[in-house]
Amino acid sequence: MTLEFKNVTKKYRSKTALNGFTATLTEGVYALLGPNGAGKSTLMNILAGLLKPTAGEILLDGQSTEKLGRQFRNILGYLPQDPGFYPTFSGYELMKYYAALKDIKRPEERINELLRFVNLSDDSKRKYKEYSGGMKRRLGIAVCLLNDPKILILDEPTAGLDPKERMRFRNIIGKIGRDKTVILATHIVSDVESIADCFILLKNGETAAVRTADEILDIVDGKVWENVTSAQAAEEYALDRANANIVKRDGEVLLHIVSDDKPFDNSEPVTPTLEDVYMYIFNEASEERSKE
Ligand code: ADP
């Protein structure tokens, strides 16, 4: 299966929310990464058919998704940040309810299989409102998978989850990505760092980069530096520079800088991470790092 975005553009009066987005997706996990306002929701809503593009089109195996209409929506699963599930329903009841809406014949077997897949079999009788954030996200995935979609869109999937739940969630997404197209939209690098096969970086509606996991770090190759310094000097330097962080390692204070040129005489090149790419392209730390 190929999902081809051709020059997809969305304008609101004077504001261009998405400008000429062009990319071809196949099976795998795609990270749609960018700060707030980058155009991620706009792109997802256009794909989901909730928003009409000003120009451009999306093709599924060569056919316009707009023309395919319902046929396309049937193979699409979309998990928004807040899916609005009935809080007093149990996990199982919610699955049953959505299975009925999606017209799934004899759903029990499918429901049990999916609850097992997302590790919720033991909690399926508990009310949704009693679920932890991670359990809610996993149930959301199970609901989205009921009709076995070929394309799954997840909005900010691990926001608010603890590290163990994040890992569990990533494992589930990794498995789904083996035979489906999974699009994860986020502004948090660690959400997608270890699971995405391909990265799409959006900045102010423009496509800043489309790279595979093998190529993404090339963007900052030879541009990431660290030098030992005093805590005070590091703080002064990093205070109002978007390309610098303070790192404490083995009792030393290090200035971690993403820069085309060597920033200090004692700066040593270091191995880049995805967070460095984010900083280089967006000129800001992803939320995760700035919270530390
Ligand atoms: P993201 O999901 O990456 O945070 P969005 O797709 O929501 O970004 O927004 C992209 C840009 O389009 C932002 O500058 C936003 O303010 C603007 N935008 C989104 N929806 C509307 C709208 N209905 N009217 C005007 N501008 C909008």
Side-chain angles (χ1 to χ4, degrees), residues 220-228 249 254-273 276:
V220 286
D221 194 27
K223 300 182 197 304
V224 187
W225 313 86
E226 282 182 1
N227 63 284
V228 178
R249 194 181 298 134
L254 297 159
L255 250 182
H256 181 100
I257 300 171
V258 186
S259 159
D260 288 327
D261 304 311
K262 184 174 177 170
F264 293 104
D265 283 345
N266 66 336
S267 295
E268 299 284 344
V270 294
T271 310
T273 65
D276 295 317

mmCIF file of all heavy atoms in Angstrom, residues 220-228 249 254-273 276:
data_model
loop_
_atom_site.group_PDB
_atom_site.id
_atom_site.type_symbol
_atom_site.label_atom_id
_atom_site.label_comp_id
_atom_site.label_asym_id
_atom_site.label_seq_id
_atom_site.Cartn_x
_atom_site.Cartn_y
_atom_site.Cartn_z
ATOM 1 N N VAL A 220 22.573 16.532 11.617
ATOM 2 C CA VAL A 220 23.426 17.240 12.573
ATOM 3 C C VAL A 220 24.814 16.588 12.694
ATOM 4 O O VAL A 220 25.536 16.827 13.658
ATOM 5 C CB VAL A 220 22.769 17.333 13.970
ATOM 6 C CG1 VAL A 220 21.643 18.351 13.979
ATOM 7 C CG2 VAL A 220 22.278 15.977 14.440
ATOM 8 N N ASP A 221 25.136 15.773 11.708
ATOM 9 C CA ASP A 221 26.448 15.108 11.748
ATOM 10 C C ASP A 221 27.562 16.157 11.810
ATOM 11 O O ASP A 221 27.609 17.076 10.991
ATOM 12 C CB ASP A 221 26.584 14.240 10.487
ATOM 13 C CG ASP A 221 27.736 13.268 10.632
ATOM 14 O OD1 ASP A 221 28.058 12.917 11.783
ATOM 15 O OD2 ASP A 221 28.326 12.894 9.601
ATOM 16 N N GLY A 222 28.429 16.046 12.786
ATOM 17 C CA GLY A 222 29.537 16.994 12.927
ATOM 18 C C GLY A 222 29.125 18.356 13.453
ATOM 19 O O GLY A 222 29.902 19.311 13.387
ATOM 20 N N LYS A 223 27.910 18.458 13.949
ATOM 21 C CA LYS A 223 27.421 19.760 14.424
ATOM 22 C C LYS A 223 27.079 19.744 15.916
ATOM 23 O O LYS A 223 26.502 20.691 16.429
ATOM 24 C CB LYS A 223 26.167 20.179 13.645
ATOM 25 C CG LYS A 223 26.368 20.314 12.139
ATOM 26 C CD LYS A 223 25.074 20.771 11.498
ATOM 27 C CE LYS A 223 25.038 20.560 10.002
ATOM 28 N NZ LYS A 223 26.133 21.176 9.254
ATOM 29 N N VAL A 224 27.369 18.643 16.600
ATOM 30 C CA VAL A 224 27.019 18.557 18.024
ATOM 31 C C VAL A 224 28.296 18.497 18.853
ATOM 32 O O VAL A 224 29.182 17.674 18.594
ATOM 33 C CB VAL A 224 26.124 17.326 18.308
ATOM 34 C CG1 VAL A 224 25.640 17.360 19.760
ATOM 35 C CG2 VAL A 224 24.935 17.296 17.361
ATOM 36 N N TRP A 225 28.385 19.403 19.821
ATOM 37 C CA TRP A 225 29.636 19.608 20.557
ATOM 38 C C TRP A 225 29.389 19.619 22.051
ATOM 39 O O TRP A 225 28.310 20.020 22.501
ATOM 40 C CB TRP A 225 30.240 20.969 20.179
ATOM 41 C CG TRP A 225 30.289 21.247 18.715
ATOM 42 C CD1 TRP A 225 29.303 21.792 17.948
ATOM 43 C CD2 TRP A 225 31.382 20.993 17.834
ATOM 44 N NE1 TRP A 225 29.701 21.903 16.644
ATOM 45 C CE2 TRP A 225 30.994 21.416 16.541
ATOM 46 C CE3 TRP A 225 32.667 20.450 18.008
ATOM 47 C CZ2 TRP A 225 31.822 21.323 15.431
ATOM 48 C CZ3 TRP A 225 33.493 20.362 16.910
ATOM 49 C CH2 TRP A 225 33.073 20.790 15.634
ATOM 50 N N GLU A 226 30.424 19.215 22.789
ATOM 51 C CA GLU A 226 30.366 19.384 24.239
ATOM 52 C C GLU A 226 31.712 19.884 24.739
ATOM 53 O O GLU A 226 32.768 19.483 24.221
ATOM 54 C CB GLU A 226 30.015 18.054 24.934
ATOM 55 C CG GLU A 226 28.527 17.738 24.838
ATOM 56 C CD GLU A 226 28.086 16.463 25.546
ATOM 57 O OE1 GLU A 226 28.929 15.774 26.160
ATOM 58 O OE2 GLU A 226 26.886 16.150 25.463
ATOM 59 N N ASN A 227 31.648 20.774 25.734
ATOM 60 C CA ASN A 227 32.886 21.187 26.387
ATOM 61 C C ASN A 227 32.660 21.319 27.885
ATOM 62 O O ASN A 227 31.573 21.681 28.333
ATOM 63 C CB ASN A 227 33.418 22.508 25.809
ATOM 64 C CG ASN A 227 32.479 23.660 26.038
ATOM 65 O OD1 ASN A 227 31.468 23.772 25.346
ATOM 66 N ND2 ASN A 227 32.784 24.507 26.997
ATOM 67 N N VAL A 228 33.704 20.971 28.624
ATOM 68 C CA VAL A 228 33.633 21.070 30.085
ATOM 69 C C VAL A 228 33.748 22.541 30.458
ATOM 70 O O VAL A 228 34.536 23.285 29.870
ATOM 71 C CB VAL A 228 34.795 20.277 30.729
ATOM 72 C CG1 VAL A 228 34.760 20.421 32.252
ATOM 73 C CG2 VAL A 228 34.735 18.811 30.325
ATOM 74 N N ARG A 249 27.543 15.300 33.918
ATOM 75 C CA ARG A 249 27.953 13.909 33.726
ATOM 76 C C ARG A 249 29.235 13.637 34.518
ATOM 77 O O ARG A 249 30.177 14.428 34.433
ATOM 78 C CB ARG A 249 28.177 13.633 32.228
ATOM 79 C CG ARG A 249 28.262 12.159 31.885
ATOM 80 C CD ARG A 249 28.519 11.951 30.402
ATOM 81 N NE ARG A 249 27.457 12.482 29.560
ATOM 82 C CZ ARG A 249 27.648 13.210 28.468
ATOM 83 N NH1 ARG A 249 28.856 13.502 28.054
ATOM 84 N NH2 ARG A 249 26.629 13.652 27.769
ATOM 85 N N LEU A 254 28.893 20.092 31.569
ATOM 86 C CA LEU A 254 29.224 20.165 30.141
ATOM 87 C C LEU A 254 28.218 21.056 29.427
ATOM 88 O O LEU A 254 27.019 21.009 29.714
ATOM 89 C CB LEU A 254 29.159 18.771 29.514
ATOM 90 C CG LEU A 254 30.141 17.738 30.056
ATOM 91 C CD1 LEU A 254 29.657 16.334 29.747
ATOM 92 C CD2 LEU A 254 31.497 17.959 29.420
ATOM 93 N N LEU A 255 28.731 21.852 28.509
ATOM 94 C CA LEU A 255 27.841 22.617 27.640
ATOM 95 C C LEU A 255 27.640 21.801 26.374
ATOM 96 O O LEU A 255 28.605 21.452 25.683
ATOM 97 C CB LEU A 255 28.505 23.941 27.273
ATOM 98 C CG LEU A 255 27.920 25.216 27.855
ATOM 99 C CD1 LEU A 255 28.702 26.404 27.329
ATOM 100 C CD2 LEU A 255 26.441 25.375 27.594
ATOM 101 N N HIS A 256 26.397 21.477 26.097
ATOM 102 C CA HIS A 256 26.049 20.666 24.927
ATOM 103 C C HIS A 256 25.469 21.641 23.890
ATOM 104 O O HIS A 256 24.457 22.281 24.141
ATOM 105 C CB HIS A 256 25.015 19.628 25.364
ATOM 106 C CG HIS A 256 24.571 18.715 24.281
ATOM 107 N ND1 HIS A 256 25.061 17.441 24.134
ATOM 108 C CD2 HIS A 256 23.662 18.888 23.286
ATOM 109 C CE1 HIS A 256 24.472 16.865 23.092
ATOM 110 N NE2 HIS A 256 23.627 17.719 22.567
ATOM 111 N N ILE A 257 26.163 21.769 22.766
ATOM 112 C CA ILE A 257 25.786 22.809 21.795
ATOM 113 C C ILE A 257 25.610 22.212 20.398
ATOM 114 O O ILE A 257 26.425 21.396 19.957
ATOM 115 C CB ILE A 257 26.873 23.915 21.745
ATOM 116 C CG1 ILE A 257 27.022 24.560 23.137
ATOM 117 C CG2 ILE A 257 26.545 24.985 20.701
ATOM 118 C CD1 ILE A 257 28.195 25.511 23.256
ATOM 119 N N VAL A 258 24.535 22.608 19.719
ATOM 120 C CA VAL A 258 24.343 22.192 18.324
ATOM 121 C C VAL A 258 24.675 23.404 17.460
ATOM 122 O O VAL A 258 24.013 24.441 17.538
ATOM 123 C CB VAL A 258 22.885 21.744 18.082
ATOM 124 C CG1 VAL A 258 22.736 21.178 16.681
ATOM 125 C CG2 VAL A 258 22.459 20.702 19.109
ATOM 126 N N SER A 259 25.718 23.271 16.678
ATOM 127 C CA SER A 259 26.187 24.436 15.926
ATOM 128 C C SER A 259 26.991 23.993 14.703
ATOM 129 O O SER A 259 27.721 22.996 14.761
ATOM 130 C CB SER A 259 27.067 25.263 16.870
ATOM 131 O OG SER A 259 27.926 26.095 16.145
ATOM 132 N N ASP A 260 26.856 24.739 13.617
ATOM 133 C CA ASP A 260 27.618 24.415 12.400
ATOM 134 C C ASP A 260 29.120 24.497 12.671
ATOM 135 O O ASP A 260 29.901 23.715 12.136
ATOM 136 C CB ASP A 260 27.255 25.396 11.276
ATOM 137 C CG ASP A 260 25.863 25.149 10.736
ATOM 138 O OD1 ASP A 260 25.444 23.976 10.711
ATOM 139 O OD2 ASP A 260 25.183 26.121 10.356
ATOM 140 N N ASP A 261 29.499 25.470 13.490
ATOM 141 C CA ASP A 261 30.926 25.676 13.756
ATOM 142 C C ASP A 261 31.265 25.286 15.189
ATOM 143 O O ASP A 261 30.427 25.379 16.085
ATOM 144 C CB ASP A 261 31.271 27.152 13.550
ATOM 145 C CG ASP A 261 30.868 27.610 12.157
ATOM 146 O OD1 ASP A 261 31.226 26.909 11.194
ATOM 147 O OD2 ASP A 261 30.157 28.630 12.051
ATOM 148 N N LYS A 262 32.522 24.914 15.370
ATOM 149 C CA LYS A 262 33.001 24.550 16.703
ATOM 150 C C LYS A 262 32.858 25.780 17.620
ATOM 151 O O LYS A 262 33.455 26.835 17.347
ATOM 152 C CB LYS A 262 34.471 24.135 16.585
ATOM 153 C CG LYS A 262 35.079 23.636 17.862
ATOM 154 C CD LYS A 262 36.488 23.121 17.582
ATOM 155 C CE LYS A 262 37.152 22.678 18.860
ATOM 156 N NZ LYS A 262 38.401 21.963 18.646
ATOM 157 N N PRO A 263 32.073 25.642 18.707
ATOM 158 C CA PRO A 263 31.794 26.862 19.483
ATOM 159 C C PRO A 263 32.946 27.320 20.376
ATOM 160 O O PRO A 263 33.164 28.519 20.529
ATOM 161 C CB PRO A 263 30.569 26.474 20.321
ATOM 162 C CG PRO A 263 30.493 24.995 20.295
ATOM 163 C CD PRO A 263 31.249 24.512 19.121
ATOM 164 N N PHE A 264 33.704 26.398 20.977
ATOM 165 C CA PHE A 264 34.812 26.764 21.866
ATOM 166 C C PHE A 264 36.039 25.931 21.520
ATOM 167 O O PHE A 264 35.916 24.837 20.964
ATOM 168 C CB PHE A 264 34.437 26.499 23.345
ATOM 169 C CG PHE A 264 33.344 27.389 23.848
ATOM 170 C CD1 PHE A 264 32.053 26.894 24.006
ATOM 171 C CD2 PHE A 264 33.585 28.724 24.166
ATOM 172 C CE1 PHE A 264 31.027 27.707 24.468
ATOM 173 C CE2 PHE A 264 32.573 29.545 24.627
ATOM 174 C CZ PHE A 264 31.292 29.039 24.776
ATOM 175 N N ASP A 265 37.207 26.443 21.895
ATOM 176 C CA ASP A 265 38.447 25.716 21.617
ATOM 177 C C ASP A 265 38.435 24.314 22.214
ATOM 178 O O ASP A 265 38.952 23.374 21.630
ATOM 179 C CB ASP A 265 39.651 26.485 22.188
ATOM 180 C CG ASP A 265 39.995 27.662 21.287
ATOM 181 O OD1 ASP A 265 39.499 27.690 20.132
ATOM 182 O OD2 ASP A 265 40.735 28.562 21.748
ATOM 183 N N ASN A 266 37.846 24.197 23.414
ATOM 184 C CA ASN A 266 37.851 22.878 24.067
ATOM 185 C C ASN A 266 36.582 22.064 23.757
ATOM 186 O O ASN A 266 36.311 21.059 24.406
ATOM 187 C CB ASN A 266 38.047 23.024 25.586
ATOM 188 C CG ASN A 266 36.865 23.715 26.260
ATOM 189 O OD1 ASN A 266 36.132 24.455 25.611
ATOM 190 N ND2 ASN A 266 36.686 23.470 27.553
ATOM 191 N N SER A 267 35.788 22.494 22.770
ATOM 192 C CA SER A 267 34.599 21.707 22.394
ATOM 193 C C SER A 267 35.031 20.443 21.655
ATOM 194 O O SER A 267 35.900 20.497 20.781
ATOM 195 C CB SER A 267 33.690 22.515 21.468
ATOM 196 O OG SER A 267 33.174 23.636 22.133
ATOM 197 N N GLU A 268 34.415 19.332 22.041
ATOM 198 C CA GLU A 268 34.684 18.054 21.372
ATOM 199 C C GLU A 268 33.416 17.623 20.636
ATOM 200 O O GLU A 268 32.307 17.757 21.171
ATOM 201 C CB GLU A 268 35.012 16.965 22.407
ATOM 202 C CG GLU A 268 36.245 17.229 23.256
ATOM 203 C CD GLU A 268 37.528 16.966 22.473
ATOM 204 O OE1 GLU A 268 37.445 16.292 21.411
ATOM 205 O OE2 GLU A 268 38.580 17.431 22.929
ATOM 206 N N PRO A 269 33.561 17.072 19.416
ATOM 207 C CA PRO A 269 32.359 16.570 18.728
ATOM 208 C C PRO A 269 31.787 15.359 19.475
ATOM 209 O O PRO A 269 32.559 14.532 19.967
ATOM 210 C CB PRO A 269 32.873 16.172 17.344
ATOM 211 C CG PRO A 269 34.348 16.039 17.478
ATOM 212 C CD PRO A 269 34.786 16.873 18.638
ATOM 213 N N VAL A 270 30.466 15.279 19.577
ATOM 214 C CA VAL A 270 29.839 14.111 20.217
ATOM 215 C C VAL A 270 28.783 13.504 19.297
ATOM 216 O O VAL A 270 28.348 14.129 18.331
ATOM 217 C CB VAL A 270 29.198 14.460 21.593
ATOM 218 C CG1 VAL A 270 30.246 14.853 22.607
ATOM 219 C CG2 VAL A 270 28.141 15.543 21.458
ATOM 220 N N THR A 271 28.395 12.272 19.615
ATOM 221 C CA THR A 271 27.407 11.572 18.792
ATOM 222 C C THR A 271 26.042 12.252 18.931
ATOM 223 O O THR A 271 25.564 12.458 20.041
ATOM 224 C CB THR A 271 27.282 10.103 19.260
ATOM 225 O OG1 THR A 271 28.594 9.580 19.336
ATOM 226 C CG2 THR A 271 26.449 9.286 18.313
ATOM 227 N N PRO A 272 25.417 12.619 17.813
ATOM 228 C CA PRO A 272 24.131 13.320 17.901
ATOM 229 C C PRO A 272 22.969 12.412 18.287
ATOM 230 O O PRO A 272 23.038 11.191 18.128
ATOM 231 C CB PRO A 272 23.918 13.855 16.486
ATOM 232 C CG PRO A 272 24.960 13.287 15.629
ATOM 233 C CD PRO A 272 25.883 12.459 16.435
ATOM 234 N N THR A 273 21.922 13.020 18.780
ATOM 235 C CA THR A 273 20.662 12.322 19.054
ATOM 236 C C THR A 273 19.547 13.037 18.291
ATOM 237 O O THR A 273 19.758 14.119 17.732
ATOM 238 C CB THR A 273 20.308 12.383 20.555
ATOM 239 O OG1 THR A 273 20.074 13.762 20.890
ATOM 240 C CG2 THR A 273 21.407 11.817 21.418
ATOM 241 N N ASP A 276 18.943 16.547 19.259
ATOM 242 C CA ASP A 276 19.824 17.537 18.620
ATOM 243 C C ASP A 276 19.266 17.972 17.261
ATOM 244 O O ASP A 276 19.343 19.147 16.902
ATOM 245 C CB ASP A 276 21.232 16.954 18.433
ATOM 246 C CG ASP A 276 21.916 16.683 19.762
ATOM 247 O OD1 ASP A 276 21.823 17.545 20.655
ATOM 248 O OD2 ASP A 276 22.525 15.610 19.907
#
